[in-house]
Amino acid sequence: MKTKFIASLVLASSVCAFANQAATAQPAPAAPQPVQPYVNPQPYQGYYGLPQKAMNTIQKTYPGVYIKDIDFEGYGFEVELTNFMKMYFDRNGNLLGQAWDD
């Protein structure tokens, strides 16, 4: 009888010690990861979505003129300039035509 009691007492104390050790053990802190610079996932889309090819055409045709308004149409873009000119581009930036603003 005494051996059973002592064996169960030893077993119970070892289980309590193991549980106590597991509760107080802390995981090792992870090393901080280096901060990665922000990379824009989309390529450059030009001025407010206007293709770069259209921007180059505007700058070459009318240097020193600013863009007043850009309208997105079904065929592409309608760009109003500060010299009262409207230029029409398709979605790829190809010039479709131009007209004086009314």
Side-chain angles (χ1 to χ4, degrees):
M1 172 102 173
K2 284 186 179 182
T3 56
K4 288 183 183 178
F5 178 72
I6 292 174
S8 64
L9 184 61
V10 170
L11 180 65
S13 65
S14 65
V15 168
C16 288
F18 179 73
N20 212 8
Q21 181 184 13
T24 59
Q26 296 292 328
Q33 297 295 323
V35 177
Q36 299 295 326
Y38 175 74
V39 177
N40 191 356
Q42 295 186 1
Y44 176 70
Q45 294 292 317
Y47 186 79
Y48 293 108
L50 194 63
Q52 185 64 42
K53 188 174 180 181
M55 283 296 298
N56 293 341
T57 303
I58 293 169
Q59 290 174 353
K60 187 175 78 174
T61 309
Y62 301 108
V65 175
Y66 297 102
I67 294 175
K68 186 167 51 170
D69 186 30
I70 299 175
D71 293 327
F72 301 99
E73 304 291 338
Y75 56 84
F77 305 97
E78 177 183 316
V79 180
E80 292 183 34
L81 304 176
T82 55
N83 65 348
F84 303 106
M85 180 63 69
K86 281 188 180 179
M87 298 182 81
Y88 304 95
F89 296 95
D90 66 2
R91 293 181 182 175
N92 296 323
N94 299 318
L95 181 63
L96 298 176
Q98 56 187 0
W100 290 106
D101 191 13
D102 303 51

